[in-house]
Amino acid sequence: MIPEKNRITQGQLMFFVMQSQVGVGILSLPHKMQAISKGAGWISTLIAGLAVQVVILILWALCRRFPSDTIFSFLPKITGNLLGNLLGFAYIGYFLFFTGTLLSKFADITGKWVLQTTPRWALLILTLLTCIYLAKENVRVMARMFVISSLTIIVMVILSLLGYANANFSYMFPILEVGWWKIIKSANEAVYPLVGYEVLLVIYSFVEGKEGGKLKAASLGNMVITLFYAFEVFTCLVIFSPGVMPFVSEPPLYMLKGFSFQIIQRIDLIFFSLWIFIVGTATSSWLYMSTAGLGRFFHRGEHKKAVLYAALIVFILAMIAQDPAISDLYDRILKIAHYTFAVGLPLILLIFSYFSRTRRA
């Protein structure tokens, strides 16, 4: 049973999903969407959000059959102890690998924009120390922090509105230039930055209330982040011309770089600081997911004892990805792993749990 001090409300679940989803991808997504679907990039982002919602339904349907278990404890109930534990370790590997990749991209962008001469290892250690401090706490403490940090999204939206002073809506047209098939196909690129909803597999059992309410909370969190991403893509599409966008790798930052006030000279650095904050919370969430499994297997459920060596593994993964070729390899592996661990396996487990008549715990 989950201790009362670790339980969270459905509202906190919504913020937990939000902060797990939002991350590095927000800076580069407009560039990628314009390259593939042109002025319809924001439509592709919305389609990706709908696809994610379908996956959330699958994860919810699976988790609701085991309302008192995390994925690491209900896997053996579905597949047996041996295979269940092996799959549990595979999920831990997926969570750790994604955390390392997320941290690597964070170091790349931070080193490029503000800390060019700071050693990569120093950036990673400073970030990890903050994430460790949060990830070692229980779910309720983390959820409270995520509620506060979600306010940064509102500020980021307000800052982005400054860009409309130079908006040219003709840049988007013709919206359907590439055709509906390519618009739908390019949504695949927008799904990857929206990952993080897998957190349901780990924290679902910590949430109070009825199962329908949990689905609504997770769905609302996904909807907010999808709309936020679509807004940023739309904004960048009307600010940068189609001829300029291919050369702008982080459009939201470049968009704000030209704005300044008497007191504040670099608006883009304010946006960047807020982005660092939300990337830190996303990294903490992924780190917690991996340590929850390690804690169950090696420390009798005490995930705190696994945080330090999990962070060391993440640090090594992020350092290895310093080479662009390795970073690209990480991306290709993660895209396959994402569809395997977030979509394929949960769907198979859900079907198998019904056919095997696995009892709810």
Side-chain angles (χ1 to χ4, degrees):
M1 297 296 294
I2 304 298
E4 184 63 31
K5 66 178 182 178
N6 288 349
R7 292 191 171 275
I8 62 175
T9 65
Q10 293 175 9
Q12 289 173 325
L13 171 63
M14 180 189 75
F15 289 105
F16 217 114
V17 172
M18 287 171 56
Q19 290 300 308
S20 299
Q21 278 189 282
V22 69
V24 175
I26 187 61
L27 296 185
S28 59
L29 184 61
H31 169 81
K32 293 180 180 178
M33 289 295 95
Q34 198 279 337
I36 303 172
S37 49
K38 307 301 180 182
W42 60 278
I43 299 177
S44 297
T45 307
L46 292 175
I47 294 173
L50 290 175
V52 168
Q53 182 57 42
V54 174
V55 181
I56 288 176
L57 282 171
I58 296 173
L59 300 183
W60 170 78
L62 176 62
C63 292
R64 73 191 290 264
R65 292 185 60 79
F66 307 94
S68 300
D69 292 298
T70 68
I71 186 172
F72 303 110
S73 55
F74 71 63
L75 275 172
K77 295 181 180 180
I78 300 176
T79 63
N81 286 330
L82 178 59
L83 182 57
N85 289 334
L86 288 175
L87 288 174
F89 280 112
Y91 268 98
I92 292 171
Y94 168 60
F95 294 151
L96 286 171
F97 195 76
F98 190 93
T99 311
T101 304
L102 177 63
L103 201 63
S104 172
K105 292 185 179 296
F106 165 79
D108 290 340
I109 297 175
T110 303
K112 174 183 176 181
W113 273 88
V114 292
L115 300 172
Q116 293 88 349
T117 60
T118 303
R120 184 184 182 86
W121 60 265
L123 284 174
L124 295 176
I125 289 177
L126 289 173
T127 307
L128 274 174
L129 286 175
T130 304
C131 296
I132 289 171
Y133 184 75
L134 183 59
K136 70 180 179 61
E137 300 295 337
N138 60 49
V139 172
R140 177 178 288 187
V141 173
M142 294 182 66
R144 288 172 176 171
M145 180 63 186
F146 289 172
V147 172
I148 298 173
S149 61
S150 295
L151 297 175
T152 59
I153 296 176
I154 299 175
V155 181
M156 292 173 77
V157 170
I158 293 173
L159 291 175
S160 297
L161 289 174
L162 294 173
Y164 283 89
N166 300 322
N168 186 340
F169 291 91
S170 65
Y171 290 156
M172 286 197 312
F173 297 102
I175 294 180
L176 303 180
E177 177 183 358
V178 298
W180 274 109
W181 170 243
K182 199 164 186 178
I183 292 173
I184 295 172
K185 187 178 179 180
S186 65
N188 178 56
E189 290 295 323
V191 168
Y192 182 54
L194 287 170
V195 297
Y197 47 86
E198 297 94 328
V199 73
L200 282 174
L201 294 170
V202 179
I203 70 166
Y204 185 90
S205 58
F206 293 86
V207 186
E208 300 172 335
K210 297 181 179 179
E211 292 164 349
K214 298 177 185 180
L215 175 61
K216 292 178 182 177
S219 301
L220 186 57
N222 172 59
M223 184 186 73
V224 171
I225 297 304
T226 299
L227 292 176
F228 173 52
Y229 273 44
F231 166 77
E232 291 295 334
V233 171
F234 180 88
T235 301
C236 292
L237 288 175
V238 300
I239 299 301
F240 297 98
S241 69
V244 172
M245 185 68 89
F247 304 100
V248 183
S249 55
E250 288 89 28
L253 294 177
Y254 280 102
M255 175 181 67
L256 296 173
K257 193 173 182 179
F259 289 93
S260 63
F261 299 101
Q262 187 173 1
I263 299 177
I264 305 173
Q265 291 295 316
R266 294 288 301 273
I267 304 297
D268 59 308
L269 293 184
I270 296 179
F271 189 96
F272 190 86
S273 299
L274 297 173
W275 172 78
I276 290 176
F277 191 26
I278 60 176
V279 170
T281 56
T283 304
S284 299
S285 177
W286 281 94
L287 186 60
Y288 173 81
M289 284 189 265
S290 59
T291 57
L294 291 169
R296 180 184 183 276
F297 285 117
F298 300 115
H299 305 292
R300 298 182 180 180
E302 290 290 333
H303 81 281
K304 293 181 180 181
K305 297 179 179 179
V307 172
L308 287 179
Y309 65 83
L312 178 60
I313 295 172
V314 168
F315 173 80
I316 294 172
L317 288 170
M319 285 296 294
I320 294 174
Q322 185 172 1
D323 186 336
I326 300 297
S327 181
D328 290 340
L329 177 62
Y330 275 22
D331 285 341
R332 292 196 295 271
I333 293 173
L334 274 179
K335 286 180 180 179
I336 298 173
H338 168 249
Y339 286 112
T340 301
F341 291 101
V343 184
L345 275 175
L347 182 58
I348 294 172
L349 291 168
L350 176 62
I351 295 171
F352 193 78
S353 69
Y354 277 103
F355 277 106
S356 63
R357 298 181 180 180
T358 305
R359 293 184 178 181
R360 293 163 56 126

